[in-house]
Amino acid sequence: MLLQTFCHIPGIGEKKERKIWELGILSWQDALQDPSFFQLFPPPLSRRVYAYLLRSFEKYEKEEVAFFDHLLGNFNRWRIFPQFRHLAAFLDIETTGMGPDAYITVATLYDGKKVKTYVFGINLDELVQDLNHYKILITFNGKSFDIPFIERFFGIELCQVHIDLRFVLKSLGLRGGLKICERAIGIDRGPLRGIGGFEAVLLWQKYLDGCPEALETLLAYNVADTVNLEKLMIFAYNQKVNLHALPFPLLSEKPQRLTIPYRVYPEVVREVTYEKLRLYR
């Protein structure tokens, strides 16, 4: 939808943008080829709009995503996803908690084609280098948790465009945590059903106590958290487009199903579930 977007141009809000669409001007190309488009604005503004259209094409061709991020802001950032999907990665981390001594235990990056996992004490340092391969990071609640935690833990500043699906989905009426939003659109966790952030902490501790099956189960959980973000992103994008009730293309789910490369051990899941119940008594 980025090529159909006009509200990133200073002087054009969403109401004006809808009026432009209703006139049959549905893209930047349409606007440049239709003289009536520029008649919608007083001369000083029309010249500025023309300049921004040309600049938008230039930035789009150069894949300068930050240009659109700055102009679209939080409410319309979702529009950049399809055109720059090849520059995006879905990200999720697990930690030992929230305190000052907490650290990242495992993390996953998924770019729609390949999954890479990171484990504290093994290859976690590679995460920073790999993040630099992408211009867009997509998370759930990453604005409040994942991104600042990574920045604090590694002592870095992440400059990528960030789409936080928690807020996109909230704008569509889907509230609550990641698992609640997943269930709302029909995602089934299978053997990982019922596992959450607290159990993830217990799985890490169990791994430190000498249980390698706990680490594999934790990685399976973290990968599921990450790859499911793609389905949520596609759902949110399509819902947003549908709200405009105009003939803009929707995104389709990929027919192939990604296989999580880690095994879930049911006995380990039962053990951490019982441990959680014991701790809460």
Side-chain angles (χ1 to χ4, degrees), residues 233-261:
M233 180 73 244
I234 292 171
F235 169 84
Y237 179 86
N238 288 343
Q239 290 294 109
K240 286 285 193 179
V241 171
N242 282 331
L243 286 175
H244 291 293
L246 289 167
F248 298 142
L250 300 178
L251 299 175
S252 60
E253 288 274 8
K254 295 184 299 182
Q256 70 269 26
R257 189 172 182 177
L258 182 73
T259 300
I260 294 178

Short mmCIF file of all heavy atoms in Angstrom, two decimals, residues 233-261:
data_model
loop_
_atom_site.label_atom_id
_atom_site.label_comp_id
_atom_site.label_asym_id
_atom_site.label_seq_id
_atom_site.Cartn_x
_atom_site.Cartn_y
_atom_site.Cartn_z
N MET A 233 1.35 -10.22 11.25
CA MET A 233 1.62 -9.05 10.41
C MET A 233 0.75 -9.08 9.17
O MET A 233 0.17 -8.06 8.78
CB MET A 233 3.11 -9.05 10.03
CG MET A 233 3.54 -7.87 9.15
SD MET A 233 3.63 -6.28 10.00
CE MET A 233 2.36 -5.36 9.15
N ILE A 234 0.65 -10.22 8.52
CA ILE A 234 -0.17 -10.35 7.31
C ILE A 234 -1.64 -10.12 7.64
O ILE A 234 -2.35 -9.40 6.92
CB ILE A 234 0.04 -11.73 6.67
CG1 ILE A 234 1.45 -11.83 6.11
CG2 ILE A 234 -1.00 -11.99 5.57
CD1 ILE A 234 1.84 -13.21 5.65
N PHE A 235 -2.10 -10.69 8.75
CA PHE A 235 -3.49 -10.49 9.17
C PHE A 235 -3.76 -9.00 9.41
O PHE A 235 -4.76 -8.46 8.92
CB PHE A 235 -3.77 -11.28 10.45
CG PHE A 235 -5.07 -10.94 11.10
CD1 PHE A 235 -6.26 -11.53 10.68
CD2 PHE A 235 -5.13 -10.01 12.14
CE1 PHE A 235 -7.47 -11.21 11.28
CE2 PHE A 235 -6.34 -9.68 12.73
CZ PHE A 235 -7.51 -10.28 12.30
N ALA A 236 -2.87 -8.36 10.16
CA ALA A 236 -3.07 -6.95 10.50
C ALA A 236 -3.05 -6.08 9.24
O ALA A 236 -3.89 -5.18 9.09
CB ALA A 236 -2.00 -6.49 11.48
N TYR A 237 -2.10 -6.34 8.35
CA TYR A 237 -2.02 -5.56 7.12
C TYR A 237 -3.30 -5.68 6.30
O TYR A 237 -3.88 -4.68 5.85
CB TYR A 237 -0.82 -6.01 6.29
CG TYR A 237 -0.70 -5.25 4.99
CD1 TYR A 237 -0.04 -4.04 4.93
CD2 TYR A 237 -1.30 -5.74 3.82
CE1 TYR A 237 0.05 -3.33 3.74
CE2 TYR A 237 -1.23 -5.03 2.64
CZ TYR A 237 -0.55 -3.83 2.60
OH TYR A 237 -0.48 -3.12 1.42
N ASN A 238 -3.77 -6.92 6.12
CA ASN A 238 -4.98 -7.13 5.32
C ASN A 238 -6.21 -6.50 5.96
O ASN A 238 -7.07 -5.94 5.27
CB ASN A 238 -5.20 -8.63 5.10
CG ASN A 238 -4.20 -9.22 4.13
OD1 ASN A 238 -3.55 -8.50 3.38
ND2 ASN A 238 -4.08 -10.53 4.13
N GLN A 239 -6.29 -6.57 7.28
CA GLN A 239 -7.41 -5.94 7.97
C GLN A 239 -7.39 -4.42 7.79
O GLN A 239 -8.42 -3.79 7.56
CB GLN A 239 -7.38 -6.28 9.46
CG GLN A 239 -7.71 -7.73 9.78
CD GLN A 239 -9.15 -8.07 9.46
OE1 GLN A 239 -9.44 -8.80 8.51
NE2 GLN A 239 -10.07 -7.53 10.23
N LYS A 240 -6.21 -3.85 7.87
CA LYS A 240 -6.07 -2.41 7.68
C LYS A 240 -6.48 -2.00 6.26
O LYS A 240 -7.18 -1.00 6.06
CB LYS A 240 -4.62 -1.98 7.95
CG LYS A 240 -4.23 -1.98 9.42
CD LYS A 240 -4.84 -0.78 10.14
CE LYS A 240 -4.23 -0.55 11.50
NZ LYS A 240 -4.82 0.62 12.19
N VAL A 241 -6.03 -2.76 5.28
CA VAL A 241 -6.38 -2.45 3.89
C VAL A 241 -7.89 -2.57 3.69
O VAL A 241 -8.52 -1.74 3.03
CB VAL A 241 -5.62 -3.37 2.93
CG1 VAL A 241 -6.15 -3.21 1.50
CG2 VAL A 241 -4.12 -3.05 2.95
N ASN A 242 -8.49 -3.62 4.26
CA ASN A 242 -9.93 -3.82 4.12
C ASN A 242 -10.74 -2.67 4.70
O ASN A 242 -11.83 -2.36 4.22
CB ASN A 242 -10.34 -5.14 4.77
CG ASN A 242 -10.00 -6.34 3.90
OD1 ASN A 242 -9.95 -6.23 2.68
ND2 ASN A 242 -9.76 -7.48 4.53
N LEU A 243 -10.22 -2.06 5.74
CA LEU A 243 -10.92 -0.94 6.36
C LEU A 243 -11.06 0.24 5.39
O LEU A 243 -11.97 1.05 5.52
CB LEU A 243 -10.19 -0.48 7.63
CG LEU A 243 -10.32 -1.40 8.85
CD1 LEU A 243 -9.44 -0.89 9.98
CD2 LEU A 243 -11.76 -1.51 9.31
N HIS A 244 -10.16 0.33 4.44
CA HIS A 244 -10.22 1.42 3.47
C HIS A 244 -11.25 1.15 2.38
O HIS A 244 -11.62 2.08 1.65
CB HIS A 244 -8.84 1.65 2.84
CG HIS A 244 -7.84 2.21 3.80
ND1 HIS A 244 -7.94 3.48 4.33
CD2 HIS A 244 -6.72 1.68 4.33
CE1 HIS A 244 -6.91 3.69 5.14
NE2 HIS A 244 -6.16 2.62 5.15
N ALA A 245 -11.70 -0.10 2.27
CA ALA A 245 -12.75 -0.47 1.30
C ALA A 245 -12.43 0.00 -0.11
O ALA A 245 -13.28 0.48 -0.84
CB ALA A 245 -14.10 0.10 1.75
N LEU A 246 -11.16 -0.12 -0.48
CA LEU A 246 -10.73 0.25 -1.82
C LEU A 246 -9.93 -0.91 -2.42
O LEU A 246 -9.43 -1.77 -1.68
CB LEU A 246 -9.86 1.52 -1.77
CG LEU A 246 -10.63 2.81 -1.44
CD1 LEU A 246 -9.66 3.92 -1.10
CD2 LEU A 246 -11.49 3.22 -2.62
N PRO A 247 -9.80 -0.97 -3.74
CA PRO A 247 -9.20 -2.15 -4.38
C PRO A 247 -7.68 -2.20 -4.29
O PRO A 247 -6.97 -2.25 -5.30
CB PRO A 247 -9.65 -2.01 -5.85
CG PRO A 247 -9.76 -0.53 -6.06
CD PRO A 247 -10.28 0.01 -4.75
N PHE A 248 -7.16 -2.20 -3.08
CA PHE A 248 -5.73 -2.36 -2.90
C PHE A 248 -5.42 -3.84 -2.70
O PHE A 248 -6.19 -4.57 -2.06
CB PHE A 248 -5.24 -1.55 -1.70
CG PHE A 248 -5.45 -0.06 -1.84
CD1 PHE A 248 -5.82 0.71 -0.76
CD2 PHE A 248 -5.26 0.56 -3.07
CE1 PHE A 248 -6.01 2.08 -0.89
CE2 PHE A 248 -5.45 1.92 -3.21
CZ PHE A 248 -5.82 2.69 -2.12
N PRO A 249 -4.29 -4.32 -3.20
CA PRO A 249 -3.98 -5.75 -3.09
C PRO A 249 -3.74 -6.18 -1.65
O PRO A 249 -3.12 -5.45 -0.86
CB PRO A 249 -2.71 -5.90 -3.93
CG PRO A 249 -2.10 -4.53 -3.98
CD PRO A 249 -3.25 -3.57 -3.95
N LEU A 250 -4.22 -7.39 -1.34
CA LEU A 250 -3.99 -7.98 -0.02
C LEU A 250 -2.79 -8.91 -0.09
O LEU A 250 -2.36 -9.34 -1.16
CB LEU A 250 -5.23 -8.74 0.44
CG LEU A 250 -6.53 -7.94 0.57
CD1 LEU A 250 -7.67 -8.86 0.99
CD2 LEU A 250 -6.37 -6.80 1.56
N LEU A 251 -2.26 -9.24 1.07
CA LEU A 251 -1.17 -10.20 1.16
C LEU A 251 -1.75 -11.59 1.39
O LEU A 251 -2.75 -11.75 2.09
CB LEU A 251 -0.24 -9.84 2.32
CG LEU A 251 0.47 -8.49 2.23
CD1 LEU A 251 1.26 -8.24 3.51
CD2 LEU A 251 1.38 -8.43 1.03
N SER A 252 -1.15 -12.57 0.80
CA SER A 252 -1.61 -13.94 1.00
C SER A 252 -0.61 -14.71 1.84
O SER A 252 0.59 -14.45 1.80
CB SER A 252 -1.80 -14.65 -0.34
OG SER A 252 -0.57 -14.68 -1.06
N GLU A 253 -1.12 -15.65 2.60
CA GLU A 253 -0.25 -16.53 3.38
C GLU A 253 0.54 -17.42 2.43
O GLU A 253 0.04 -17.85 1.39
CB GLU A 253 -1.09 -17.42 4.31
CG GLU A 253 -1.69 -16.67 5.48
CD GLU A 253 -0.76 -16.57 6.66
OE1 GLU A 253 0.41 -16.97 6.51
OE2 GLU A 253 -1.19 -16.12 7.72
N LYS A 254 1.77 -17.69 2.78
CA LYS A 254 2.55 -18.61 1.97
C LYS A 254 1.98 -20.02 2.12
O LYS A 254 1.65 -20.44 3.23
CB LYS A 254 4.01 -18.60 2.42
CG LYS A 254 4.71 -17.28 2.19
CD LYS A 254 6.16 -17.35 2.57
CE LYS A 254 6.34 -17.68 4.04
NZ LYS A 254 7.75 -17.69 4.44
N PRO A 255 1.86 -20.79 1.03
CA PRO A 255 1.28 -22.12 1.14
C PRO A 255 2.12 -23.10 1.93
O PRO A 255 1.61 -23.99 2.60
CB PRO A 255 1.15 -22.57 -0.33
CG PRO A 255 2.17 -21.75 -1.06
CD PRO A 255 2.20 -20.43 -0.34
N GLN A 256 3.46 -22.94 1.88
CA GLN A 256 4.29 -23.87 2.62
C GLN A 256 4.24 -23.56 4.11
O GLN A 256 4.05 -22.43 4.52
CB GLN A 256 5.75 -23.83 2.12
CG GLN A 256 6.51 -22.56 2.46
CD GLN A 256 6.38 -21.53 1.38
OE1 GLN A 256 5.41 -21.51 0.65
NE2 GLN A 256 7.37 -20.65 1.27
N ARG A 257 4.41 -24.58 4.89
CA ARG A 257 4.37 -24.43 6.34
C ARG A 257 5.78 -24.61 6.90
O ARG A 257 6.43 -25.62 6.63
CB ARG A 257 3.41 -25.46 6.95
CG ARG A 257 3.15 -25.23 8.43
CD ARG A 257 2.06 -26.16 8.92
NE ARG A 257 1.77 -25.93 10.32
CZ ARG A 257 0.82 -26.57 10.99
NH1 ARG A 257 0.07 -27.47 10.37
NH2 ARG A 257 0.60 -26.31 12.27
N LEU A 258 6.22 -23.63 7.66
CA LEU A 258 7.57 -23.70 8.23
C LEU A 258 7.61 -24.72 9.35
O LEU A 258 6.76 -24.73 10.24
CB LEU A 258 7.98 -22.33 8.77
CG LEU A 258 9.38 -22.25 9.35
CD1 LEU A 258 10.42 -22.28 8.24
CD2 LEU A 258 9.55 -21.00 10.19
N THR A 259 8.59 -25.60 9.29
CA THR A 259 8.77 -26.59 10.35
C THR A 259 9.75 -26.05 11.38
O THR A 259 10.88 -25.67 11.03
CB THR A 259 9.32 -27.91 9.77
OG1 THR A 259 8.39 -28.41 8.80
CG2 THR A 259 9.50 -28.95 10.87
N ILE A 260 9.33 -25.99 12.62
CA ILE A 260 10.21 -25.51 13.69
C ILE A 260 11.31 -26.54 13.91
O ILE A 260 11.03 -27.72 14.14
CB ILE A 260 9.42 -25.28 14.98
CG1 ILE A 260 8.43 -24.12 14.78
CG2 ILE A 260 10.37 -24.96 16.15
CD1 ILE A 260 7.56 -23.84 15.98
N PRO A 261 12.57 -26.13 13.81
CA PRO A 261 13.67 -27.10 13.83
C PRO A 261 14.07 -27.57 15.23
O PRO A 261 15.23 -27.95 15.44
CB PRO A 261 14.81 -26.32 13.16
CG PRO A 261 14.55 -24.90 13.54
CD PRO A 261 13.05 -24.75 13.57
#
